[in-house]
Amino acid sequence: MKKGTALLAALLAGLQLSVPVSWAESIEDKKAELEDVQRQMDEKDAQREQKKQEIGNAVERLITAQNELAEAKRKLAAIESRQRALEIRIRQNEAALAAKQQAYDATRRIYEKRLRDIYENGQVNYLDVLLGSADFRDFASRMYLLQRVIRRDFDLIDRLEVQKEALLEQKAQLEEIRHQLDFAYAEGQAEQKIVAQKTVERQALYEQALAEKAQLDAEYEELQRNSQEITAMIQRMEEEGRLMPQAGGTGQLSWPVNGEITSPFGWRVHPIWGTQIFHAGLDIGADYGDPVHAADSGTVVYAGWMGGYGNAVMIDHGGGMVTLYGHNSSITVGEGEQVSKGQTIALAGSTGNSTGPHCHFEVRIHGEVVSPLQYLP
């Protein structure tokens, strides 16, 4: 389109001397309109590429959201389990606290009764008790009884102190567990909000992924139709004798671009939908404008737009072998042209049904697709 604009401009420049001013102005207006249309087309292409990238990431984001939601639910389940364990400990500690309180209250009642008896009867003078003995036997008996009374009083006081300390410690433990439970409940509420948020995010991404699935299904069906058409076209060319019957290439292919395999040949299972999709070639990573090379010597039998394959090139290498290079940004060869192995035949791009720049590379034997890896080093 831009080449046509440049050619038109050159022709107009040569004609300006011989045409009326009104004609020249009209032609300039048309040039401006043409440039405006080209600009709008460029903007539409940019918008289309951006939309492809947005939709193309929906499944990846959905998988991430599902993993995040599963992790949030796992954390929430762990928090709720800890809450239940803490509630059980609280009930156990409350029961233990009640038992200790009961024992402490019983001991305190005995101690209070002892103090009340002393207050009502007056303080007994232990020396008067001993001096009032009739004989040594009576003295020894009174001494023994006094020792038991005193020891009992001291034991009572000691037991009260021990029970009081145990009671305070049990209360402290109970307060600590209650504090942990309060923290766990707050943590659980925060995690519940995260789960709710992740659930909403996942649902939105799921709906977006559904839209992507519908688009991908349509694109896949289109590619399948294109692939069947290519098979029929190659087989028809063979029947008509338009392909080389003998090997024109070496039979040993080279890689069309230098990059990683981003999508292998064969059947694939969709990570979300579980549907099986057949991929007829290799997707090899490339940047926009990277040269795409002929995998072997041969004759170009197709060079142009090919539906879901975008800008595509097909090369006949003889002996029934044809290679295909899809999604190119532009093509640098024409039909019927003889090409040599390694020659640049196109520039990588993302035309047709594609979510990013790469080279879609197919090998066909008598029209049927085979794994390119069988012929690549």
Side-chain angles (χ1 to χ4, degrees), residues 135-299:
D135 53 28
F136 182 76
R137 182 185 291 275
D138 186 26
F139 178 84
S141 177
R142 291 186 179 203
M143 176 65 76
Y144 174 73
L145 291 174
L146 283 174
Q147 287 175 341
R148 289 195 60 185
V149 169
I150 294 170
R151 188 181 302 112
R152 184 173 177 275
D153 287 343
F154 277 112
D155 288 345
L156 189 60
I157 293 171
D158 289 342
R159 189 161 72 250
L160 272 175
E161 287 298 323
V162 170
Q163 288 177 336
K164 180 180 179 181
E165 289 296 327
L167 194 60
L168 292 175
E169 183 179 351
Q170 195 74 48
K171 286 181 178 179
Q173 289 180 4
L174 185 58
E175 286 302 314
E176 175 61 23
I177 297 172
R178 282 174 175 164
H179 175 72
Q180 292 177 15
L181 183 60
D182 290 341
F183 179 79
Y185 273 123
E187 190 179 8
Q189 289 176 349
E191 201 64 36
Q192 283 177 345
K193 290 181 180 179
I194 293 175
V195 168
Q197 178 185 351
K198 295 296 182 186
T199 302
V200 172
E201 291 176 1
R202 179 193 175 280
Q203 183 60 33
L205 287 169
Y206 181 76
E207 292 172 359
Q208 188 175 359
L210 281 176
E212 178 190 3
K213 181 180 183 294
Q215 178 179 339
L216 290 176
D217 286 345
E219 292 178 354
Y220 177 66
E221 290 175 3
E222 182 182 6
L223 284 172
Q224 288 296 95
R225 287 195 302 271
N226 294 153
S227 182
Q228 291 169 1
E229 290 169 0
I230 293 169
T231 300
M233 180 174 65
I234 293 174
Q235 292 174 348
R236 186 168 59 252
M237 286 180 175
E238 282 191 310
E239 291 173 0
E240 295 172 356
R242 295 161 58 191
L243 299 182
M244 292 183 291
Q246 302 299 322
T250 63
Q252 177 64 53
L253 304 182
S254 60
W255 290 83
V257 293
N258 293 322
E260 294 183 359
I261 296 175
T262 57
S263 184
F265 171 87
W267 290 99
R268 295 175 294 174
V269 177
H270 196 282
I272 296 295
W273 318 116
T275 53
Q276 288 191 328
I277 298 174
F278 183 77
H279 190 228
L282 295 178
D283 284 350
I284 309 170
D287 291 329
Y288 283 104
D290 281 355
V292 177
H293 307 286
D296 202 353
S297 302
T299 304

Side-chain angles (χ1 to χ4, degrees), residues 230 233-235 237-238 243-244 253 299 301-302 313-325 361-370:
I230 293 169
M233 180 174 65
I234 293 174
Q235 292 174 348
M237 286 180 175
E238 282 191 310
L243 299 182
M244 292 183 291
L253 304 182
T299 304
V301 292
Y302 188 91
V313 176
M314 290 171 54
I315 301 175
D316 172 25
H317 303 289
M321 177 185 284
V322 174
T323 54
L324 182 147
Y325 314 76
F361 180 58
E362 290 185 10
V363 176
R364 292 174 177 265
I365 304 297
H366 302 296
E368 302 295 339
V369 292
V370 295

